[in-house]
Amino acid sequence: MTEVARTPAADWWRQATIYEIYVRSFADSDGDGIGDLPGIAARLPELADLGIDAVWLTPFYLSPMADGGYDVADYCDVDPTLGSLGDFDALLRRAHELGLKVIVDIVPNHTSDQHAWFKAAVADGVGSAARARYIFRDGVDGGAKPPTDWLANFGGPAWTQVDDGQWYLHMFTPEQPDLNWSNPEIGTEFELILRFWLNRGVDGFRIDVAHGMAKNLTEPLPALGIHAVDRQLRYEVVDHPLWDRDEVHEIFRTWRRILNEYSPPRIGVAEAWVMPGRRARYIRHDELHQAFNFDFLQTVWECDALADVVDSSLTEAGAVGASPTWVLSNHDVVRHPSRYALPPDADTVEWLLSDGTMPKADLALGSKRARAAALLMLALPGSAYLYQGEELGLHEVADIEQRYLADPTWERSGHQDKGRDGSRVPLPWEPTGPSLGFGSSTAWIPQPPDWGAISRTSQESDASSILDLYKATLRLRQQFMGDGQLRWLHRGPGHLAFARSSGLVCVVNFGEAAVELPAGRLLVASQRLDGSRQLPADTAAWILTN
Ligand code: NOJ
């Protein structure tokens, strides 16, 4: 591997490439069909070779897996299906040897209903100290009906009744009771949890549902209507009792002080689905370092819309001295090659319900755009978050047999929404084998048969593969990121071109007509150009202009 200068140690996160590992679906070391920590540790050299700076591990803590591990029963232990604390230490050691940082997921909005605290809350009864760690209320209409009309993410009511008649709040599944962050005991406990992992050597945290922890639950609780608890805040809200409340920032200021006690300071990344303009509040200098840019992820493949998001993201992060982030896919959304293959107004829930047949997806077009999108994202100033498998060009698996669907969304929606499993299908590492090198048995979600041809090993030997494109681009990114500035050379219609201070120019063509490339050395292109200076439709290129 070529050694290149990196940003100063304390600022490594400002222009990093961080790779999300969905632990259950990355690599299975013990043949139970489920990915695990030793499986990841064994594959870290491949990730170092890809050219990333850090990995983010989704939750691997003790969990009944009602929501793929986002229902934690013990924050300081590893689920036996995924490994042990010793396995985690070994993974961390190996990652650090390879120069990779490790970010772990922290889930502070809710616990599992199997957490000792929740069991005590149920057992100790109305008015107990244990119950005060969660959000319990009496019902209405003599107690028989939930306190409010609030609906949970993934479907169903946001309240569930316990045997003594009280109801508890869960903004996600009933197996994920929400913690009561106005009880100081919760903050104290999470500080201990953060330190537990920091002292083991982690480099940072991804904070689940960061915009949901603080709530205003003063009585009377308001009725909120059908979208009340939708965590993705796709509607304008002002003073919402559950989401994006100002009180949450005090928690993150405390956390930042803890992160700063370590050298170099450890980092925090917020999963905060908030309205445009509100994200910067999470990344002020005394709060978290970064927040996922879901605006970028949610923007369709359209020149002006993407340029607007780039501008607003740069302005927003710049105003608070933070650095922007860019993300195209994660374990909660339809993979971007498939999104780009669909008409821009397609309803992906409907599309998944039709097993990916309605509307018809132009998969080749989606793949072509995904290659171009990678060049766009990786040229932008700030940090890029990759999702496992995007470097292989994986599409959403829209036709998973129903018996394999594990996302609670499927059951909670009354089979009206298949949920997120199509983005969580275990990775294909080898062209053949019972789970294409993922493990020695069938994977927990079987992979499509044609994934052998796009396995990592198959792509290794193919210079035209998307894996090769990611590797080449990531190496160039380390060389040419320069400072955090971007200068537009062309901002639509039809195509975008921008320059970085290093002399790197990125051109992306969204239109139908070819675009003339600027003078300079072609560093990489998302399609073969064969010496031509004409950039075709849905193609991107990097040119070195100085
Ligand atoms: C966001 C996580 O990314 C998602 O997978 C999970 O279901 C919810 N938070 C609830 O923890």
Side-chain angles (χ1 to χ4, degrees):
M1 254 198 312
T2 342
E3 279 306 310
V4 288
R6 304 261 175 138
T7 35
D11 267 353
W12 69 269
W13 50 274
R14 284 190 176 269
Q15 301 213 61
T17 309
I18 301 166
Y19 181 99
E20 179 190 353
I21 294 184
Y22 191 75
V23 174
R24 290 165 58 78
S25 301
F26 188 74
D28 167 23
S29 72
D30 58 5
D32 64 357
I34 298 170
D36 48 42
L37 298 182
I40 297 169
R43 293 288 189 183
L44 286 173
E46 276 103 326
L47 292 185
D49 179 51
L50 179 61
I52 57 161
D53 300 290
V55 294
W56 146 33
L57 304 176
T58 56
F60 48 81
Y61 317 110
L62 190 70
S63 167
M65 303 288 165
D67 182 19
Y70 283 94
D71 48 319
V72 181
D74 183 344
Y75 291 86
C76 297
D77 204 357
V78 174
D79 194 84
T81 57
L82 306 177
S84 64
L85 280 172
D87 292 331
F88 177 78
D89 292 339
L91 184 163
L92 190 63
R93 222 173 15 251
R94 185 74 184 116
H96 286 167
E97 278 164 15
L98 290 163
L100 298 174
K101 310 242 188 264
V102 176
I103 292 174
V104 298
D105 219 310
I106 195 89
V107 188
N109 178 69
H110 44 264
T111 68
S112 158
D113 64 347
Q114 297 305 305
H115 191 287
W117 271 4
F118 191 72
K119 289 187 185 170
V122 173
D124 292 6
V126 182
S128 62
R131 205 158 271 205
R133 296 191 186 113
Y134 293 87
I135 300 160
F136 279 84
R137 291 287 185 279
D138 294 329
V140 294
D141 285 358
K145 288 207 186 130
T148 64
D149 65 342
W150 302 350
L151 296 176
N153 283 278
F154 317 143
W159 298 94
T160 290
Q161 196 169 28
V162 295
D163 285 349
D164 58 36
Q166 279 208 311
W167 299 75
Y168 65 90
L169 178 70
H170 51 88
M171 282 155 56
F172 295 88
T173 70
E175 293 84 8
Q176 293 167 295
D178 277 49
L179 284 164
N180 172 18
W181 272 87
S182 61
N183 179 341
E185 246 189 275
I186 307 302
T188 308
E189 178 70 6
F190 270 89
E191 287 167 29
L192 293 174
I193 294 166
L194 293 181
R195 287 183 196 284
F196 177 85
W197 293 104
L198 288 167
N199 293 339
R200 287 196 111 81
V202 303
D203 300 287
F205 298 96
R206 177 261 189 194
I207 295 131
D208 190 61
V209 201
H211 60 312
M213 296 150 69
K215 301 177 177 71
N216 177 8
L217 298 173
T218 41
E219 301 286 344
L221 299 178
L224 287 172
I226 54 161
H227 292 303
V229 185
D230 181 348
R231 76 187 191 288
Q232 298 190 351
L233 281 194
R234 280 169 290 216
Y235 51 98
E236 187 69 47
V237 290
V238 179
D239 196 22
H240 195 288
L242 304 172
W243 298 120
D244 193 23
R245 296 202 57 84
D246 290 345
E247 298 85 356
V248 83
H249 299 287
E250 200 43 55
I251 303 172
F252 297 137
R253 284 189 200 105
T254 308
W255 288 17
R256 180 64 176 254
R257 286 194 288 273
I258 295 173
L259 298 173
N260 284 350
E261 286 172 23
Y262 294 78
S263 176
R266 308 309 195 231
I267 72 156
V269 182
E271 187 222 13
W273 296 83
V274 292
M275 294 305 290
R278 295 279 299 181
R279 191 169 44 230
R281 303 169 67 81
Y282 291 76
I283 51 173
R284 290 177 284 197
H285 74 281
D286 58 348
E287 298 195 36
L288 301 173
H289 298 71
Q290 294 192 319
F292 295 119
N293 188 347
F294 295 123
D295 299 342
F296 185 68
L297 181 152
Q298 287 173 314
T299 302
V300 293
W301 185 249
E302 205 268 312
C303 187
D304 296 336
L306 279 165
D308 286 349
V309 168
V310 168
D311 276 337
S312 61
S313 309
L314 290 171
T315 308
E316 189 180 32
V320 289
S323 73
T325 65
W326 313 102
V327 58
L328 292 167
S329 279
N330 65 35
H331 65 280
D332 289 331
V333 301
V334 170
R335 283 183 177 275
H336 63 275
S338 299
R339 297 200 313 266
Y340 295 155
L342 290 166
D345 57 354
D347 178 335
T348 52
V349 171
E350 294 293 322
W351 179 71
L352 287 171
L353 270 180
S354 75
D355 285 346
T357 58
M358 295 265 292
K360 196 168 161 31
D362 184 341
L363 299 184
L365 179 66
S367 296
K368 191 176 184 198
R369 289 175 170 174
R371 292 174 67 105
L375 264 62
L376 167 63
M377 172 168 76
L378 294 173
L380 291 168
S383 286
Y385 283 81
L386 311 183
Y387 178 47
Q388 68 177 38
E390 77 174 69
E391 77 281 18
L392 302 179
L394 298 187
H395 276 266
E396 185 80 1
V397 182
D399 58 355
I400 297 173
E401 275 184 57
Q402 291 180 4
R403 65 190 161 125
Y404 292 111
L405 295 176
D407 183 345
T409 308
W410 176 236
E411 292 301 334
R412 302 281 304 157
S413 69
H415 297 188
Q416 295 309 301
D417 184 346
K418 276 167 114 181
R420 303 159 293 175
D421 289 321
S423 66
R424 301 173 177 180
V425 177
L427 291 189
W429 291 91
E430 306 294 340
T432 56
S435 53
L436 305 175
F438 167 70
S440 56
S441 63
T442 321
W444 66 281
I445 308 176
Q447 300 129 318
D450 58 356
W451 273 17
I454 53 165
S455 72
R456 197 175 201 282
T457 297
S458 315
Q459 296 200 33
E460 282 288 3
S461 50
D462 175 2
S464 68
S465 67
I466 186 163
L467 176 63
D468 202 73
L469 180 72
Y470 265 83
K471 282 191 191 179
T473 311
L474 286 168
R475 273 182 185 61
L476 291 164
R477 173 178 159 89
Q478 289 175 348
Q479 244 173 304
F480 294 109
M481 275 311 264
D483 61 20
Q485 304 303 310
L486 170 153
R487 186 164 53 88
W488 287 114
L489 303 176
H490 186 91
R491 201 188 167 289
H495 76 277
L496 299 178
F498 57 86
R500 303 293 310 274
S501 56
S502 59
L504 172 80
V505 168
C506 174
V507 187
V508 189
N509 187 5
F510 298 83
E512 279 165 23
V515 169
E516 173 85 21
L517 288 174
R521 178 157 67 90
L522 177 70
L523 295 172
V524 64
S526 63
Q527 302 294 319
R528 280 179 58 169
L529 298 182
D530 293 326
S532 161
R533 301 298 291 183
Q534 298 295 312
L535 190 70
D538 297 307
T539 305
W542 286 13
I543 312 288
L544 188 60
T545 54
N546 60 14

